[in-house]
């Protein structure tokens, strides 16, 4: 269908809609538009059928071919039939002779003429019994190999054009237990029926090409390398955490008992805030709580570094932090309700606004705790500038 057809159908739909609006009659609008669109789709389909391929010609999807990595079963089956025929025929023949000889012995007829029935029986078992058993074993091996060759062809059909297959899939497709399939695959790989076969992943996957096995080995090496690096990283992290913990314990041991108690209480509040954050799912509220956790942690770090600032957080310890934990627990309880009614949503909104206010207060407190440091830095900078100016260095820079 060309552009003029599209324009014609588009104009038809537009005119139909405009007529309905002008007449204030929308009763048949939907049906009319639907008929127009269906007509357009039919025209497109007919156009595609007439231009895609000649009449009567069917599009054939090219099927991927399986990789040439499987041994042909013609010779295997031929030898299996030979073993089955010769072994079965010979075994039956010697078994029949054994039966006839034993029957004759019971009737007093000595086929081998030894004169002794017991000796006759032993000779019969040796002459006819052993070949009969050997023939039976040969026939059994031929039959077993024939069935195994048929199962091999079943496995190949299940694998298809793929280069690997889950052994569980082979088990389900062949209707055999996984243990039996693994036993089959081991035998077939050992006998080179799979010319490039490998069982990997703790015998959970079969790979049938060398190229795919090379990719697997590369990925496995990378996985082992990553696991080793991750293990080393965790060990290093644990070592660092252990060192940090030891250092904190040593630092705390040098602190006064009242300062150490403040820091321990602060760590407990931080853990409770973090637990509430884990229990609350909302992204926005979680960001606010994470910000609060960081600020409180920094405040108590500052107390640990500068014990003289402990007096600045007394109000924080006595009122703000207990209230904060109560608010977070209340929010957690409201958020866990299955039905979020108007009152619950309003209360949650109120708590979120209060958390913003608390975060601003914590930021101001943390900033005030660094005020003395800021004064010291400012004083040092002023002295440094004065000394540089006296030495005639960067004097022009200060005058600008």
């Amino acid at each position: 269908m060309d552009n003029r057809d599209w324009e014609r159908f588009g104009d038809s739909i537009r005119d139909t809609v405009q007529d309905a609006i002008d007449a204030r009659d929308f009763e048949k609008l939907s049906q009319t538009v639907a008929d127009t669109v269906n007509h357009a789709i039919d025209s497109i389909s007919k156009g595609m059928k007439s231009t895609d391929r000649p009449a009567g010609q069917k599009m054939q999807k090219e099927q991927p071919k399986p990789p040439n990595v499987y041994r042909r079963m013609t010779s295997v089956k031929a030898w299996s039939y030979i073993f089955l025929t010769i072994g079965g025929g010979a075994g039956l023949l010697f078994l029949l002779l054994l039966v006839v000889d034993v029957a004759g012995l019971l009737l007093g007829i000595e086929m081998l003429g030894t004169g002794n029935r017991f000796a006759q029986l032993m000779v019969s078992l040796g002459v006819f019994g052993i070949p009969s058993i050997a023939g039976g074993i040969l026939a059994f091996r031929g039959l077993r190999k024939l069935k195994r060759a048929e199962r091999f062809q079943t496995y190949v059909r299940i694998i298809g054009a793929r280069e690997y297959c889950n052994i569980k899939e082979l088990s389900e497709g062949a209707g055999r237990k996984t243990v039996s399939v693994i036993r089959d695959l081991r035998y077939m790989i050992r006998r080179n029926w799979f010319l490039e076969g490998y069982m990997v992943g703790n015998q959970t996957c079969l790979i049938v090409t060398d190229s795919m096995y090379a990719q697997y080995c590369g990925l496995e090496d990378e996985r082992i390398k990553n696991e080793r690096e991750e293990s080393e990283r965790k060990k290093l992290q644990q070592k660092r955490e252990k060192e940090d913990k030891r250092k904190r314990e040593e630092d705390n041991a040098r602190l006064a008992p009242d300062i150490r108690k403040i820091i321990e209480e602060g760590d407990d509040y931080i853990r409770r805030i973090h637990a509430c954050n884990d229990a609350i799912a909302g992204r926005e509220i979680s960001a606010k709580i994470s910000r609060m956790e960081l600020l409180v942690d920094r405040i108590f770090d500052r107390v640990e570094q500068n014990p003289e600032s402990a007096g600045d957080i007394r109000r924080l310890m006595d009122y703000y932090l207990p209230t904060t934990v109560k608010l977070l627990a209340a929010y957690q309880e409201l958020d866990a309700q299955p039905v979020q009614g108007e009152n619950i949503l309003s209360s949650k909104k109120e708590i979120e606004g209060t958390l913003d206010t608390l975060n601003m207060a914590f930021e101001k407190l943390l900033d005030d705790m660094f005020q003395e440091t800021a004064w010291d830095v400012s004083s040092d900078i002023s002295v440094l500038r004065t000394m540089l100016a006296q030495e005639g260095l960067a004097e022009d820079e200060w005058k600008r």
Side-chain angles (χ1 to χ4, degrees), residues 212-253:
M212 180 57 66
Y213 182 69
Q215 293 183 37
Y216 169 81
C217 290
L219 293 174
E220 189 68 9
D221 291 342
E222 186 69 19
R223 183 187 65 81
I224 295 173
K225 179 182 176 183
N226 292 337
E227 287 182 353
R228 188 183 302 113
E229 292 177 352
E230 180 66 16
S231 176
E232 293 176 355
R233 187 190 66 79
K234 287 183 177 180
K235 289 181 180 178
L236 182 60
Q237 183 178 358
Q238 291 174 355
K239 183 179 179 180
R240 289 176 178 174
E241 290 176 353
K242 190 175 181 180
E243 282 290 323
D244 292 341
K245 182 179 179 181
R246 183 185 61 80
K247 187 176 179 181
R248 284 196 303 270
E249 290 176 352
E250 291 178 354
D251 293 340
N252 289 338

Side-chain angles (χ1 to χ4, degrees), residues 70-71 73 76 148-149 152 187-188 191-195:
Y70 305 114
R71 179 179 173 182
M73 290 291 101
V76 174
R148 190 165 268 167
F152 173 76
Y187 175 88
M188 295 166 185
R191 295 287 181 175
N192 286 327
W193 292 8
F194 291 101
L195 302 180

